[in-house]
Amino acid sequence: QLQLVESGGGLVQPGGSLRLSCAASGFTLDYFAVGWFHQAPGKEREAVSCISSNDDSTFYLDSVKGRFTISRDNAKNTVYLQMNNLKTEDTGAYYCAAAETDSDLEQDRIAYWGKGTQVTVSS
């Protein structure tokens, strides 16, 4: 079965850390551009970080630069999002998505979506 499965969400205090995982099955994630998307309550989903299918170059939304790091583990067919110094505004559902090219990812031509994992940042 071709799918992406996210894990690693949870409840954390402001300033804390979480590592989200996006595991692929049925296809090789290294061949795809991968993005992490955040949907805050009542807001639209937006891309917070992406990693290229070509050279593993990365993109970060300004609000997460210096706090979040995206990376691949090809042996585990998984992409991670390390989230440090979490803020209350980081609360929401996090989805990973895979697209065949960087351009496809930028233009929302997504091949696979995960079902999401919930992150709650609260004291």
Side-chain angles (χ1 to χ4, degrees), residues 3-61:
Q3 62 179 357
L4 292 173
V5 178
E6 302 96 334
S7 62
L11 172 64
V12 63
Q13 292 186 340
S17 298
L18 287 172
R19 188 177 77 159
L20 305 184
S21 299
C22 171
S25 59
F27 65 99
T28 302
L29 196 54
D30 187 36
Y31 298 157
F32 289 76
V34 178
W36 281 99
F37 293 76
H38 172 224
Q39 187 164 23
K43 295 188 177 181
E44 292 188 357
R45 188 162 51 190
E46 64 178 349
V48 295
S49 184
C50 303
I51 188 164
S52 170
S53 60
N54 292 326
D55 57 6
D56 282 353
S57 58
T58 56
F59 158 83
Y60 297 97
L61 197 63

Side-chain angles (χ1 to χ4, degrees), residues 15-18 64 66-69 82-87 90:
S17 298
L18 287 172
V64 308
R67 300 190 299 121
F68 290 10
T69 303
Q82 178 67 42
M83 309 164 68
N84 297 329
N85 191 21
L86 282 160
K87 303 178 179 181
D90 297 321

Side-chain angles (χ1 to χ4, degrees), residues 46-122:
E46 64 178 349
V48 295
S49 184
C50 303
I51 188 164
S52 170
S53 60
N54 292 326
D55 57 6
D56 282 353
S57 58
T58 56
F59 158 83
Y60 297 97
L61 197 63
D62 282 349
S63 60
V64 308
K65 280 182 182 176
R67 300 190 299 121
F68 290 10
T69 303
I70 191 170
S71 63
R72 295 184 187 268
D73 184 336
N74 295 331
K76 295 184 178 180
N77 210 21
T78 298
V79 168
Y80 300 101
L81 186 68
Q82 178 67 42
M83 309 164 68
N84 297 329
N85 191 21
L86 282 160
K87 303 178 179 181
T88 55
E89 52 263 42
D90 297 321
T91 292
Y94 283 78
Y95 302 87
C96 66
E100 292 189 3
T101 68
D102 296 351
S103 177
D104 285 341
L105 188 62
E106 290 173 6
Q107 299 183 44
D108 211 27
R109 292 193 293 263
I110 303 298
Y112 306 103
W113 279 104
K115 293 183 178 180
T117 185
Q118 178 68 31
V119 171
T120 303
V121 185
S122 175

